[in-house]
Amino acid sequence: MFVIAHVSDPHVDGSAERAERVARVTRYLRGLTRPVDVVLLCGDIVDSGRREDYEEVLALFAGTAPVLALPGNHDDPSALSAALGDEAGTSSDSPHRCVVLGGVRFVLLDTTVPGEVGGALGAEGLSWLDRTLADPGAGATPTVVATHHPPVPVGHPFVDGVALADSAPFGEVLSRHPAVVAVLVGHAHTAGASTVAGVPVLLGPGVASTLVLPFESRPGDDAVVTSEAPPALALHLLTGRHLTTHFRVLG
Ligand SMILES: [Fe+2]
Ligand SMILES: [Fe+2]
């Protein structure tokens, strides 16, 4: 069994409150009697792309498990890559990465669009994904695709307006590659599950805050997220091609 700790949207900003939320996650991981095999940071790792905030996050996770990360719209991809020391297999000719860890292939997509809240892969990104998933050397290696922007509507008009713009061709690419067992995403700040092209899409809960659906709002309050909710994470247990998810709220 391979265990993925899926941690998303910590939005670390130099404040003690955001750092404490991440520390709650790392204390939980350190308290497990069996360490997770990887920590996957699914974007919006920091709030404004500052290098020192990435270093703070990585210091908090140090010693828990190997860390894989991809950028969200609040991140600076180059500052993130520099803070990671390019250990996760960055190649200079693509913003996307493919990493094999413990017999699992992770395809980490950079869906950010400079200056935009929403995301897209574009023709180049879709082509890269198709080529990467088709790598004959990978054979049937169980493959996890990770993106910040969800390739599905989540049921909130704001989030759905800033999701992955090219979700239809993204689904078409996935449908050609049966090795993909799940798509792990962030951005929506909600623990949830959906599908794209028949592939599970698992939404990582927000560490910094949690989505408020329109019908959960108090009258007169149109906040998209609430920071009253405690931090949370998803644990994905992968055995062969079988993936089971447990969400943990760290109240
Ligand atoms: Fe976020
Ligand atoms: Fe985001």
Side-chain angles (χ1 to χ4, degrees), residues 33-209:
T33 57
R34 178 241 195 256
V36 299
D37 294 291
V38 66
V39 171
L40 174 65
L41 300 177
C42 234
D44 286 357
I45 296 162
V46 308
D47 205 49
S48 56
R50 298 191 310 177
R51 171 77 183 260
E52 59 265 38
D53 292 334
Y54 291 114
E55 287 166 354
E56 181 176 17
V57 173
L58 294 174
L60 284 164
F61 279 99
T64 58
V67 172
L68 299 178
L70 55 87
N73 50 295
H74 281 260
D75 290 303
D76 176 334
S78 57
L80 169 61
S81 183
L84 288 168
D86 290 348
E87 289 171 5
T90 302
S91 70
S92 57
D93 59 350
S94 171
H96 316 295
R97 287 173 286 163
C98 183
V99 181
V100 177
L101 197 63
V104 180
R105 182 168 59 153
F106 288 87
V107 177
L108 310 172
L109 301 175
D110 177 351
T111 54
T112 61
V113 178
E116 301 287 337
V117 178
L121 276 168
E124 274 188 32
L126 291 162
S127 172
W128 182 92
L129 178 62
D130 206 14
R131 290 195 313 274
T132 300
L133 292 177
D135 177 3
T141 304
T143 299
V144 170
V145 173
T147 98
H148 181 65
H149 295 87
V152 292
V154 303
H156 189 291
F158 174 77
V159 178
D160 292 342
V162 291
L164 187 72
D166 34 19
S167 56
F170 175 78
E172 286 167 21
V173 171
L174 291 193
S175 69
R176 291 195 282 274
H177 302 286
V180 179
V181 296
V183 179
L184 308 185
V185 310
H187 195 49
H189 292 226
T190 193
S194 184
T195 59
V196 62
V199 178
V201 175
L202 299 160
L203 301 142
V207 172
S209 59

